[in-house]
Amino acid sequence: MKKLLIILVIFMATINESVAANTLSKRQLHLATLASLEAQGDLDRLAPAINEALDGGVTINEIKEAFSQLYAYTGFPRSLNALGTLSKVLDARKAEGKKDDEGKAWKRPKVWDDAKLALKKGTETQSKLSGKPFNYDFCPQDDYYLKAHLFGDIFAGDQLSASDREIVTVAALASIKGVAPQLAAHQKGAVNMGNTQEQVDELMRFLSDKGLSQCDNAAEATAGAWPKGNPNTAFAKFFIGNSHLARIAPKNLKEGEQTVLPMSNVTFEPGCRNNWHIHHGARQILICVSGKGWYQEWGKPAIALNPGDVIDIPEGVKHWHGAQKDSWFQHIATHVAVENSKPGSEPNEWLEPVTDEEYNKLQAK
């Protein structure tokens, strides 16, 4: 009995550690909030958020590091304004007799005095974040700035871990419109730098729930007004990439009642698309609600999809749809029966996948 109890305790501790590993800490959520408000330039909300972060155990130097890093993503004006707000908050708290934790002593990074070392370290960091070596040959200037300065000089600070830095970056980018490619890249980079996919998804939900998210794609697709649902495992073999499915039913229906037009919200992660397929006995209606996607009929050019677009797919037409490479995508899907519909017939005929070659040609255009 004693051995069984010990095993049970160890088992429960293991479960708790696993859950904790996939959940953002309160400290990380405070940092995400500060990053989002800094990116929006919302100083009225930033000041009380700084107070909450300091009361919640975030150190002064960690906040300084987050705001200074964000100048590379949101610009010097917002970074300096956020640091100025921090200074005012600290003065007010000191006057109130509060003693805040400075945190780890700040040290000048060695790479600041060695340009070659900064470039080397930055190249290594960028490769890890991207998952592969990255070279922006189109503009050598920006390629150098990214490697030597952003991922070299800035990432050399030791106040924040690499995983924390990506939480800060994703939160900031999710709070700015027009940066969908960078947001999608850093969502993946956040995982490469030590966070779990569950933590990244939690971050997006948190930002949306708190009214902090301003982006027009990934945040809305992961935690917007339309539900993301559960992993679409039942149809996973007919998709390239990950998708999620949420059934939608009118609230006025009683339990067990069927709606005339059953609807589902399908969420495609960046790069995800379904196979070529045909609907028999019904036409399909797609209502695009967030993100950016593609729709293509066999033998015809692909159509780029944006929120508000509606696609009416005739019965018997071979087609596919999914997300663009740099964006999440959501659409509401429903079917309308046609006259030749045969009860009991298989409604969907799944065909070959959309190859990477076909798909990447669309992205190149």
Side-chain angles (χ1 to χ4, degrees):
M1 184 66 181
K2 187 176 181 181
K3 288 184 178 180
L4 180 61
L5 182 60
I6 293 174
I7 292 174
L8 181 60
V9 170
I10 294 174
F11 176 69
M12 291 303 295
T14 302
I15 291 178
N16 289 334
E17 287 179 7
S18 177
V19 171
N22 287 318
T23 303
L24 293 173
S25 66
K26 290 182 179 180
R27 171 182 163 280
Q28 288 173 311
L29 293 177
H30 280 306
L31 286 171
T33 300
L34 298 183
S36 176
L37 295 172
E38 186 273 358
Q40 295 178 54
D42 191 341
L43 304 184
D44 291 336
R45 295 171 68 189
L46 181 60
I50 291 174
N51 271 299
E52 292 179 9
L54 292 168
D55 291 337
V58 183
T59 70
I60 295 173
N61 285 341
E62 286 174 335
I63 298 176
K64 286 182 179 179
E65 186 79 5
F67 288 162
S68 62
Q69 171 186 318
L70 286 179
Y71 102 80
Y73 297 97
T74 66
F76 259 129
R78 282 179 167 77
S79 175
L80 292 172
N81 288 344
L83 287 167
T85 301
L86 172 62
S87 179
K88 291 177 182 178
V89 169
L90 291 174
D91 287 342
R93 290 171 68 90
K94 185 176 182 180
E96 295 171 3
K98 294 182 179 179
K99 187 175 181 180
D100 293 307
D101 184 3
E102 287 280 348
K104 188 187 301 183
W106 185 85
K107 295 180 180 179
R108 181 183 176 87
K110 292 181 179 179
V111 299
W112 287 10
D113 300 314
D114 189 335
K116 289 184 178 179
L117 180 59
L119 179 61
K120 179 176 181 294
K121 292 290 186 181
T123 301
E124 293 171 354
T125 300
Q126 186 186 41
S127 297
K128 181 179 179 181
L129 190 149
S130 303
K132 59 183 179 181
F134 178 87
N135 293 298
Y136 194 46
D137 296 329
F138 175 73
C139 184
Q141 299 98 311
D142 270 17
D143 187 60
Y144 178 79
Y145 299 155
L146 286 168
K147 289 181 171 65
H149 184 49
L150 175 55
F151 297 114
D153 292 334
I154 295 178
F155 271 57
D158 63 356
Q159 297 297 326
L160 298 175
S161 66
S163 57
D164 284 340
R165 287 185 182 280
E166 284 306 293
I167 293 296
V168 167
T169 301
V170 170
L173 293 175
S175 305
I176 309 173
K177 287 184 175 294
V179 293
Q182 289 75 24
L183 175 58
H186 277 282
Q187 285 179 298
K188 294 178 180 178
V191 176
N192 293 338
M193 300 305 278
N195 298 288
T196 65
Q197 185 60 54
E198 290 80 6
Q199 288 174 319
V200 176
D201 290 342
E202 180 191 352
L203 173 61
M204 303 307 291
R205 288 193 297 272
F206 170 79
L207 294 171
S208 181
D209 291 344
K210 295 295 183 181
L212 296 169
S213 173
Q214 298 294 317
C215 70
D216 53 9
N217 54 85
E220 293 174 358
T222 52
W226 296 97
K228 176 183 174 184
N230 299 313
N232 191 10
T233 54
F235 293 88
K237 61 183 177 182
F238 304 122
F239 283 68
I240 291 177
N242 297 321
S243 66
H244 308 264
L245 184 66
R247 302 295 183 186
I248 299 174
K251 287 188 175 181
N252 61 322
L253 289 183
K254 296 179 181 178
E255 186 175 353
E257 285 186 330
Q258 296 295 319
T259 181
V260 176
L261 290 177
M263 296 182 289
S264 298
N265 180 43
V266 184
T267 299
F268 300 81
E269 295 187 12
C272 176
R273 67 270 190 188
N274 51 32
N275 291 0
W276 290 97
H277 59 285
I278 299 172
H279 300 291
H280 296 290
R283 60 193 308 120
Q284 186 181 44
I285 309 295
L286 304 180
I287 304 171
C288 308
V289 294
S290 71
K292 297 186 296 181
W294 291 112
Y295 167 74
Q296 185 174 24
E297 294 181 5
W298 186 260
K300 295 183 179 181
I303 299 173
L305 301 178
N306 294 288
D309 291 339
V310 177
I311 296 292
D312 186 348
I313 307 168
E315 187 263 353
V317 170
K318 183 176 178 180
H319 67 283
W320 69 271
H321 34 105
Q324 294 190 21
K325 199 169 186 178
D326 61 359
S327 175
W328 289 70
F329 176 61
Q330 282 187 318
H331 65 49
I332 307 299
T334 189
H335 297 80
V336 180
V338 296
E339 291 182 0
N340 65 341
S341 178
K342 297 179 180 179
S345 63
E346 180 61 38
N348 295 333
E349 179 184 356
W350 290 101
L351 303 168
E352 71 273 20
V354 178
T355 66
D356 289 342
E357 182 180 7
E358 294 174 292
Y359 182 75
N360 290 333
K361 283 181 180 178
L362 301 178
Q363 301 301 134
K365 292 179 182 179

